[in-house]
Amino acid sequence: MITTDKLTIRFGSQTLFENVSVKFSPGNCYGVIGANGAGKSTLLKIISGDIEPTSGEVHITKGERIAVLKQNHFEFDEFQVIDTVIMGHKHLYDVMKEKEALYAKSDFTDEDGLKVSELETEFAEMDGWQAESMAASLLSDLGIEDEKHYSLMKDLTGSEKVRVLLAQALFGNPDILLLDEPTNHLDITTIKWLEEFLINFQNTVIVVSHDRSFLDNVCTHIADIDYKNIQLYTGNYTFWSEASRLIQKQKEELNRKTEEKMEELKKFIARFSANASKAAQATSRKNILDKLSLEEIKPSSRKYPAIRFNYVKIPGKDILHVEKLNKKLNGELLIKNFSLDVSRGEKIAFLSPDPLIPTTFFKIITGEEIPDSGQYNWGVTATYSYFPQDNNKFFETNISLIDWLRQYSAEQHISYIRGYLGRMLFSGEESEKSANVLSGGEKVRCMIAKMMVSETNVLIFDEPTNHLDLESITSLNNALIDFDGVVLFTSQDHKFIQTVANRIIEITPKGWVDSRYKYDEYLIHPELKKKRALLY
């Protein structure tokens, strides 16, 4: 069990939490939500002991082991993959290494023998003899091939390192599992495996995620960070979201009725207070008015960007033609003889177990990469704007956000530019800040503003939900549903794909599957499952 007692966290003049007392009970999975900067990751670091609170305390039941999903992907570069996983159970790993060091001594003494005996007993009590096979099983389930289990971490790709660190956190059945954005850089299949693992996990989980479907599938409770406090709610994310909107609507309706009554009383007082015959009655009404107060309603600190995409040029029927496209990267085949025709009104989700494949395809059709062979042609009416996964090169400048966005807009008037920045939550002085000091989430919002002012009829998105908070994801999701142009995108967000895409294309080096089913139907359709199996 985890409890906090009057927990307060301050960084300089900024207060994240103030006098927070909350209890996380065993056996539950808590999804931590809140606006960017609210303190979600900080909460996990406080619980794990990586950060000391300004005041207050965190109490954890004695003897319970905490496992944390590490965020530094280079921390274990000099260790073998299998050892990195076992390090998730630190005490077990320490005992194992101490035991190995004693056995390796050339001058092994009787004292060493007694120590080894103690260590062997402790090692066996922790199922140490099964540690390597359990670690290997986790790695295999997470898509790490057997031949890489004894490689050094530095020899893995970034995506593979993420999976190893996830295996490390899950290893050894920890009592408390702290996961910060565990679905980042995972493909849909691995996310589904992780969901199943957490659904069956019997101990306490506290998870930060921007994946709404993931939160719905695994969470028993929601921990909402707002107004420097943490409020716990029973249920998953959708239940919390719908319930909170309903409560807010009810409060606003009550507020409106109360305001109407106050206005009625004010008018009565103004009309009759000068009339002697009605003075007593007016005074009585005034006393009522003095006692009447609006119910204290704190509007949520969350802000939703006002995202809406429009286009100037009406798209024709034929948008994009791709014929027998081939591409290798660093000698590795990514795309083989890929052909595609995109028509007006299509919203296509591109899926792949290798995130480089959709990224490379988008780079080819936007002219950033050259195919090894094959060709593509945009329709004469097609105009596109592109959201790359890595957008850092757009922000290597110290110009203000106003001047930054003005570069991409046909309309140059400052009020027009400020309007679009304001819609993306850069209002007032925020719109004057330098482009090179933005956070990851702020860069994404700027890129979306860039796409809005471009007014193109084709939108291309490579993992647009990375770095966005749930409110911004919801706004972007709804905007793409409403957009009547063409959308080409890749994402690991299940709900995003399900609600936006009307066509699914899954690509591997062995081929591709093209389907006009919605995403959930695509995953379970018997014939499509057979076709998908041939891709792997």
Side-chain angles (χ1 to χ4, degrees):
M1 182 183 294
I2 305 166
T3 58
T4 69
D5 182 21
K6 296 182 179 179
L7 193 69
T8 297
I9 300 293
R10 294 190 185 95
F11 296 109
S13 60
Q14 182 187 18
T15 300
L16 289 182
F17 305 120
E18 190 159 22
N19 292 325
V20 174
S21 296
V22 67
K23 179 173 71 174
F24 298 98
S25 300
N28 294 325
C29 179
Y30 296 88
V32 183
I33 63 172
N36 281 349
K40 301 185 292 294
S41 297
T42 301
L43 174 64
L44 268 57
K45 289 176 181 177
I46 294 166
I47 293 172
S48 67
D50 289 342
I51 293 178
E52 287 292 325
T54 306
S55 63
E57 295 178 328
V58 175
H59 301 285
I60 297 171
T61 302
K62 187 176 180 180
E64 292 196 340
R65 184 171 71 85
I66 298 178
V68 180
L69 175 58
K70 300 285 188 178
Q71 301 298 309
N72 182 356
H73 298 168
F74 306 99
E75 183 176 349
F76 303 94
D77 271 2
E78 300 304 320
F79 293 92
Q80 283 188 334
V81 168
I82 199 83
D83 281 351
T84 300
V85 175
I86 298 172
M87 285 179 191
H89 193 326
K90 185 179 183 303
H91 186 55
L92 171 62
Y93 181 78
D94 289 345
V95 168
M96 182 175 74
K97 288 303 174 183
E98 186 179 359
K99 185 164 63 80
E100 290 175 358
L102 287 171
Y103 279 129
K105 287 180 68 174
S106 57
D107 55 342
F108 193 84
T109 65
D110 290 343
E111 186 179 349
D112 292 331
L114 290 172
K115 182 61 178 176
V116 163
S117 178
E118 292 174 6
L119 291 173
E120 289 286 11
T121 300
E122 193 172 3
F123 188 68
E125 288 173 350
M126 292 186 288
D127 287 332
W129 294 111
Q130 305 300 320
E132 196 166 314
S133 63
M134 289 189 294
S137 178
L138 275 175
L139 287 168
S140 297
D141 288 340
L142 287 166
I144 305 297
E145 297 90 341
D146 291 354
E147 59 267 24
K148 294 185 178 180
H149 291 187
Y150 293 91
S151 301
L152 293 180
M153 284 287 285
K154 66 182 179 182
D155 296 328
L156 302 187
T157 66
S159 176
E160 288 170 336
K161 287 182 179 181
V162 168
R163 295 162 187 261
V164 174
L165 293 179
L166 182 56
Q168 180 191 74
L170 303 180
F171 176 77
N173 195 37
D175 300 292
I176 297 168
L177 185 54
L178 306 180
L179 302 175
D180 193 350
E181 296 293 356
T183 63
N184 279 1
H185 310 292
L186 297 183
D187 60 73
I188 294 291
T189 302
T190 309
I191 290 173
K192 289 300 174 189
W193 178 89
L194 178 60
E195 287 178 354
E196 194 66 28
F197 182 96
L198 294 179
I199 288 168
N200 293 314
F201 188 70
Q202 297 297 309
N203 299 330
T204 305
V205 182
I206 303 178
V207 57
V208 174
S209 177
H210 290 146
D211 187 326
R212 296 159 295 172
S213 178
F214 180 78
L215 291 174
D216 276 347
N217 290 338
V218 305
C219 291
T220 61
H221 295 73
I222 293 296
D224 179 29
I225 300 178
D226 208 358
Y227 299 109
K228 305 171 187 175
N229 192 25
I230 302 172
Q231 184 69 44
L232 298 184
Y233 300 90
T234 302
N236 62 15
Y237 175 74
T238 293
F239 181 84
W240 169 85
S241 180
E242 292 179 358
S244 62
R245 278 199 297 266
L246 177 61
I247 291 169
Q248 184 70 11
K249 184 178 179 181
Q250 290 173 338
K251 286 184 175 181
E252 288 170 355
E253 179 67 14
L254 178 61
N255 188 58
R256 184 184 63 79
K257 291 178 179 179
T258 307
E259 284 181 328
E260 288 175 358
K261 189 169 185 179
M262 287 185 71
E263 190 60 33
E264 176 189 342
L265 292 172
K266 287 177 182 177
K267 288 178 179 177
F268 181 89
I269 292 166
R271 191 181 311 124
F272 297 112
S273 60
N275 187 322
S277 64
K278 299 206 174 185
Q281 188 178 3
T283 301
S284 174
R285 295 284 181 122
K286 189 175 185 305
N287 289 338
I288 295 174
L289 181 62
D290 290 339
K291 294 176 183 178
L292 192 66
S293 62
L294 293 174
E295 182 182 0
E296 186 178 348
I297 300 176
K298 282 188 176 181
S300 173
S301 64
R302 291 170 173 77
K303 296 179 181 179
Y304 288 81
I307 303 174
R308 183 173 180 81
F309 298 105
N310 298 301
Y311 52 78
V312 174
K313 193 171 187 178
I314 297 174
K317 180 183 177 182
D318 299 322
I319 300 299
L320 175 66
H321 174 70
V322 178
E323 186 173 351
K324 294 184 178 179
L325 215 62
N326 288 276
K327 181 66 178 178
K328 288 183 179 179
L329 194 63
N330 298 324
E332 183 178 349
L333 180 65
L334 295 181
I335 300 171
K336 180 181 179 181
N337 290 329
F338 180 61
S339 297
L340 169 71
D341 284 298
V342 180
S343 301
R344 181 179 56 228
E346 291 194 308
K347 299 178 180 179
I348 307 175
F350 290 84
L351 310 181
S352 178
D354 185 349
L356 271 177
I357 291 177
T359 295
T360 302
F361 174 69
F362 291 157
K363 285 183 176 181
I364 290 172
I365 63 173
T366 57
E368 290 191 15
E369 293 271 2
I370 299 174
D372 298 332
S373 62
Q375 61 181 3
Y376 67 93
N377 296 291
W378 286 100
V380 294
T381 61
T383 59
Y384 66 81
S385 51
Y386 173 40
F387 177 100
Q389 188 172 160
D390 182 2
N391 51 49
N392 288 319
K393 67 180 182 181
F394 290 90
F395 300 95
E396 294 172 351
T397 173
N398 61 0
I399 61 176
S400 71
L401 293 189
I402 292 173
D403 290 334
W404 182 89
L405 186 58
R406 189 181 268 136
Q407 300 174 100
Y408 308 104
S409 174
E411 172 59 63
Q412 295 286 293
H413 197 279
I414 191 169
S415 62
Y416 180 85
I417 301 299
R418 280 189 179 275
Y420 273 92
L421 288 171
R423 288 168 65 176
M424 296 310 298
L425 309 181
F426 297 103
S427 57
E429 293 182 359
E430 286 285 301
S431 62
E432 302 283 354
K433 70 197 306 183
S434 295
N436 59 4
V437 300
L438 300 180
S439 67
E442 288 173 328
K443 288 177 181 177
V444 172
R445 285 189 274 126
C446 280
M447 292 298 293
I448 293 172
K450 170 183 175 292
M451 297 180 80
M452 286 197 291
V453 301
S454 298
E455 296 187 318
T456 60
N457 52 38
V458 180
L459 304 175
I460 305 171
F461 287 97
D462 189 353
E463 295 289 356
T465 63
N466 289 355
H467 305 294
L468 287 181
D469 58 23
L470 287 164
E471 290 67 44
S472 297
I473 291 172
T474 300
S475 294
L476 177 60
N477 197 156
N478 292 338
L480 293 183
I481 291 170
D482 294 338
F483 182 61
D484 63 358
V486 171
V487 183
L488 311 178
F489 73 100
T490 185
S491 175
Q492 304 303 328
D493 187 313
H494 186 111
K495 187 171 184 178
F496 199 85
I497 300 171
Q498 171 64 19
T499 55
V500 173
N502 55 26
R503 184 177 177 186
I504 306 292
I505 296 178
E506 187 166 2
I507 312 175
T508 77
K510 292 184 178 180
W512 70 93
V513 173
D514 188 347
S515 163
R516 284 177 169 79
Y517 287 97
K518 295 291 284 183
Y519 184 48
D520 284 343
E521 296 173 271
Y522 171 79
L523 291 174
I524 63 173
H525 193 282
E527 289 301 316
L528 292 176
K529 287 176 76 173
K530 291 179 183 177
K531 290 182 179 179
R532 293 176 65 217
L534 297 175
L535 299 180
Y536 294 88

